[in-house]
Amino acid sequence: MSSLNANFLQNVSIVHPEYFFITGLSGIPYSSYYYIFLCVTYFITVIGNSAVLLLIALERSLHSPKYIGVFNLALVDLGETNAWIPNTMKIFFSDSQYMSYNACLANMFFVNLFVTLQSATLVVLALDRYIAICLPLRYHAIVNNTVMSLVFVVIWAFNTSLVALAVSLMTRLSFCKSNVVQSYFCDYGRVLGMACNDRSINIFITNVIVALFLVAPLFIIVLSYLGIVFALSKITTWEARLKALKTCVSHLLLVVSFFLPVICIHIASLITSLTLNARMISASLSLSLPPMLNPIIYVLNTAEIRILIKKLLKNRIVPIRKNISK
């Protein structure tokens, strides 16, 4: 009976604030210019990724396993960008920096979901390149549209479940210390740090997510490219090696744009003590730049997309010129 009373008292003592106060960049002169930069980044990201989605959806020649992965990446980039930039703009260009408790949890869920999906998609694209180069004769037997679609359905289901579990566990925490989130969105780590009761389960789930979607993906991608390098070393001519390697350039650039900022932030925080604003600017850039750069990288480095865009532009320009000549 005493244990039941103890559990009841513990549940009663859980305090959920009505709202959180998102501090954002504080004390920085001309910080509004950075938010304008985020607005520009947002529009470029939305236009670029929407164009990639439409191009792949409408062009039958791009209905292949590789471009199913690219389609998913563009979709995830759109989701990630819309999960935090519009809300950040709304908060900091209006008079209120308050976010309700439920809105905070929703914001936390969607940002973390799309970040984990982006990491998982990069792994799938790395394995696709590995099979294409190391097992070319078996590629179509192993990888096809059905297999790739099923892989992404499983990834979306698994990631959604895991992130939903992590966010739902937030509801068992009591926030009696403060309701001020020192970040530019409802940051999971910052909110978790404000809890004043036992958070060991939350920390464990956080470590699992970091291991699964930051450490493991980077390890798998490095291993896949070591395998690719080993396979290319067996090719006799440099021309054939370069031709095979060119198919990996776009993916390598995507990996660098996603993982390098995160790694640099962790290394910098270990070497020197970063100010809060420096951390927030670095973290926000690591979230905003990859989704903006991904469609640009694929357009510039993928021959199929470049040829398709030139063809579409030519079909548009020729009728205009004929009308002008008349």
Side-chain angles (χ1 to χ4, degrees), residues 4-303:
L4 290 173
N5 290 332
N7 289 330
F8 176 76
L9 290 172
Q10 186 179 6
N11 291 332
V12 169
S13 65
I14 292 176
V15 177
H16 291 164
E18 184 180 350
Y19 57 82
F20 287 103
F21 184 85
I22 314 297
T23 60
L25 298 174
S26 56
I28 296 181
Y30 310 113
S31 60
S32 59
Y33 289 110
Y34 183 69
Y35 294 121
I36 293 171
F37 164 76
L38 287 180
C39 282
V40 174
T41 302
Y42 173 76
F43 285 113
I44 294 172
T45 301
V46 170
I47 293 169
N49 285 288
S50 298
V52 170
L53 289 174
L54 285 172
L55 200 63
I56 295 173
L58 298 176
E59 182 55 43
R60 294 186 65 85
S61 64
L62 298 180
H63 294 178
S64 63
K66 175 185 174 182
Y67 288 104
I68 289 175
V70 176
F71 184 92
N72 188 78
L73 185 64
L75 187 63
V76 168
D77 287 340
L78 271 178
E80 180 186 325
T81 302
N82 282 294
W84 73 275
I85 291 184
N87 201 54
T88 301
M89 296 300 101
K90 178 185 175 183
I91 289 174
F92 297 113
F93 282 119
S94 65
D95 296 330
S96 176
Q97 292 177 232
Y98 295 101
M99 185 183 291
S100 70
Y101 177 79
N102 289 331
C104 177
L105 293 184
N107 182 235
M108 185 188 299
F109 168 77
F110 285 111
V111 172
N112 285 283
L113 171 63
F114 288 115
V115 170
T116 62
L117 286 170
Q118 190 177 31
S119 176
T121 304
L122 291 175
V123 173
V124 174
L125 289 172
L127 294 176
D128 174 79
R129 290 300 84 206
Y130 173 82
I131 297 169
I133 294 172
C134 300
L135 303 168
L137 299 178
R138 298 180 59 194
Y139 177 79
H140 293 291
I142 299 172
V143 182
N144 54 54
N145 289 355
T146 303
V147 169
M148 190 65 83
S149 299
L150 285 174
V151 166
F152 282 116
V153 167
V154 171
I155 286 172
W156 275 78
F158 177 76
N159 289 30
T160 301
S161 301
L162 189 59
V163 176
L165 174 64
V167 174
S168 64
L169 286 173
M170 277 286 182
T171 58
R172 59 179 291 278
L173 298 178
S174 183
F175 301 96
C176 54
K177 296 179 182 178
S178 173
N179 67 337
V180 178
V181 182
Q182 295 182 323
S183 186
Y184 53 95
F185 74 106
C186 204
D187 193 325
Y188 185 92
R190 294 289 175 183
V191 175
L192 183 60
M194 296 189 301
C196 51
N197 58 340
D198 181 34
R199 52 188 179 178
S200 55
I201 298 176
N202 303 76
I203 293 171
F204 173 75
I205 295 295
T206 303
N207 291 334
V208 169
I209 291 174
V210 170
L212 286 177
F213 300 110
L214 183 62
V215 179
L218 189 58
F219 181 71
I220 294 169
I221 290 170
V222 170
L223 281 181
S224 68
Y225 274 100
L226 287 175
I228 288 171
V229 170
F230 179 73
L232 292 177
S233 67
K234 294 181 178 180
I235 300 175
T236 54
T237 62
W238 278 102
E239 292 81 2
R241 290 179 187 176
L242 289 174
K243 186 179 179 180
L245 195 59
K246 279 182 180 179
T247 64
C248 301
V249 171
S250 297
H251 180 260
L252 279 171
L253 291 173
L254 299 182
V255 170
V256 169
S257 69
F258 179 79
F259 287 102
L260 187 62
V262 178
I263 293 170
C264 289
I265 292 169
H266 282 287
I267 292 173
S269 62
L270 292 173
I271 295 173
T272 182
S273 56
L274 293 175
T275 63
L276 181 61
N277 285 327
R279 284 177 180 273
M280 281 194 284
I281 290 175
S282 301
S284 62
L285 287 174
S286 71
L287 277 182
S288 60
L289 291 181
M292 181 186 71
L293 294 174
N294 289 351
I296 297 171
I297 289 170
Y298 261 101
V299 168
L300 294 178
N301 289 284
T302 306

